[in-house]
């Protein structure tokens, strides 16, 4: 999809690379997926109780990302359909910020 390719190029200089997640196109930061393209939706790892998550869920058709379709969503991930494609770059940048912030957090022993 052209928008996925555009996002990859836009974030390339910020340490993001194209990769795979569940065999689907993904954006990765430090080898960890931050976004994943699945059919006509893009999922973003923005954090389960973040303001970004709450706002993203307001987009028509947006929901928690459930890649298996078995009712077991990833709570830190939001899936946003192509009908809200104009928000994908903002969400991709928010996912990148969340990944960078998580990297900066001290790990518990």
């Amino acid at each position: 999809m052209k928008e996925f390719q555009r996002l990859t190029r836009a974030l390339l200089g910020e340490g993001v690379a194209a990769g795979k997640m569940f065999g689907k196109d993904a954006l990765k930061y430090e080898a960890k997926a931050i976004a994943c393209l699945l059919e006509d939706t893009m999922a973003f790892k923005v954090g389960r109780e973040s303001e970004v998550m709450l706002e993203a869920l307001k987009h028509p058709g947006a929901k928690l990302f459930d890649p298996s379709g078995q009712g077991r969503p990833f709570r830190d991930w939001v899936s946003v359909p192509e009908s809200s494609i104009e928000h994908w770059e903002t969400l991709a940048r928010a996912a990148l910020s969340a990944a960078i912030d998580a990297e900066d957090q001290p790990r518990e022993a």
Side-chain angles (χ1 to χ4, degrees):
M1 169 184 264
K2 287 183 181 181
E3 182 62 9
F4 177 82
Q5 294 168 346
R6 191 191 70 73
L7 285 174
T8 303
R9 286 190 306 273
L11 299 174
L12 197 59
E14 298 179 47
V16 174
K20 296 288 184 184
M21 178 178 165
F22 306 122
K24 304 296 182 188
D25 289 329
L27 297 176
K28 294 188 170 193
Y29 175 76
E30 298 291 324
K32 294 179 184 169
I34 61 169
C36 179
L37 183 63
L38 185 61
E39 296 172 13
D40 64 346
T41 66
M42 186 84 144
F44 305 91
K45 186 176 183 183
V46 295
R48 66 186 67 189
E49 294 182 17
S50 69
E51 187 65 33
V52 174
M53 173 70 83
L54 297 174
E55 287 301 312
L57 287 169
K58 293 178 184 178
H59 299 305
K63 59 187 175 187
L64 292 179
F65 183 47
D66 183 4
S68 71
Q70 300 288 318
R72 295 185 306 253
F74 292 6
R75 292 187 185 109
D76 288 326
W77 289 73
V78 62
S79 178
V80 179
E82 189 175 12
S83 60
S84 293
I85 200 168
E86 68 272 13
H87 301 286
W88 285 8
E89 183 169 352
T90 300
L91 291 166
R93 290 187 180 282
L96 174 59
S97 291
I100 291 169
D101 289 348
E103 190 178 74
D104 291 341
Q105 298 296 317
R107 293 203 170 122
E108 294 182 23

